[in-house]
Amino acid sequence: MIPAGPLRAPLAAQLGRADALVVVGSSSGAAPVVAKAQARGLPVFRARIVPDADASAALARTPVLAFAGIGDPEKLFASLAAAGVTVAATRSFPDHHRYTGAEARALCEAADQAGLTLVTTEKDLARIQGEDELAGLAARARALPVTLALDDPASFMELLRHRIDAARAGREGGAPVSP
């Protein structure tokens, strides 16, 4: 993974240890990283985030106030809209945001005033659970579960099996072991 951020390892160091690159979404911003990975002979796989169909259908029954403290909150908002959910209001917070009690109350009040369902990412929902000051928000917010869907899962699994076998052979000092 090569997300941006001040605590991330430099790209060259990550590519030096990588067996492949997985590009999530269709952003043209990935092009320089793809070029560097290909120059090193790394396979490049494409993938997309797929919202859970049942959760999307349930959320589509009422307009929502979507909030997120992730690297690109717009991805959540776009995923909801693409899944047929009416996103009536949004609130964006910085990546890894630590929600305050005041923010939790403000989100709940805004949802109450407009008759909206609160929706966030699974990551944000996990972050607000277990905090007494955020209990009201945690109890009311719903997450949009997502999965990562590879465009070529068979090739990805073949690479993964090959790398696991090679690692086992190196660790055991023998021939590759089949799973």
Side-chain angles (χ1 to χ4, degrees):
M1 278 177 78
I2 307 172
L7 301 178
R8 310 293 186 202
L11 177 60
Q14 291 186 60
L15 288 178
R17 294 189 318 257
D19 292 315
L21 176 71
V22 178
V23 178
V24 181
S26 59
S27 170
S28 62
V33 177
V34 169
K36 288 178 182 178
Q38 289 173 328
R40 290 176 177 255
L42 294 176
V44 176
F45 295 94
R46 302 275 173 181
R48 65 197 175 289
I49 299 294
V50 179
D52 179 81
D54 291 336
S56 297
L59 290 169
R61 296 185 190 122
T62 180
V64 304
L65 185 163
F67 68 97
I70 57 175
D72 185 2
E74 291 297 324
K75 283 187 177 182
L76 170 65
F77 311 150
S79 292
L80 287 163
V85 177
T86 302
V87 181
T90 63
R91 300 292 187 278
S92 297
F93 298 92
D95 197 13
H96 304 286
H97 184 65
R98 245 188 118 86
Y99 293 91
T100 66
E103 289 167 337
R105 287 186 296 280
L107 285 164
C108 291
E109 288 169 10
D112 287 343
Q113 288 173 358
L116 305 175
T117 298
L118 289 160
V119 122
T120 192
T121 65
E122 290 176 298
K123 175 183 166 183
D124 280 304
L125 188 57
R127 187 178 299 116
I128 63 176
Q129 292 176 341
E131 298 275 341
D132 291 341
E133 193 175 35
L134 308 177
L137 177 61
R140 294 187 49 196
R142 298 179 62 189
L144 176 67
V146 297
T147 56
L148 182 70
L150 290 157
D151 290 353
D152 186 1
S155 293
F156 184 82
M157 290 305 293
E158 181 180 332
L159 172 73
L160 188 59
R161 278 191 291 275
H162 173 73
R163 296 299 190 211
I164 291 171
D165 285 346
R168 286 180 177 163
R171 186 180 65 231
E172 297 169 7
V177 178
S178 297

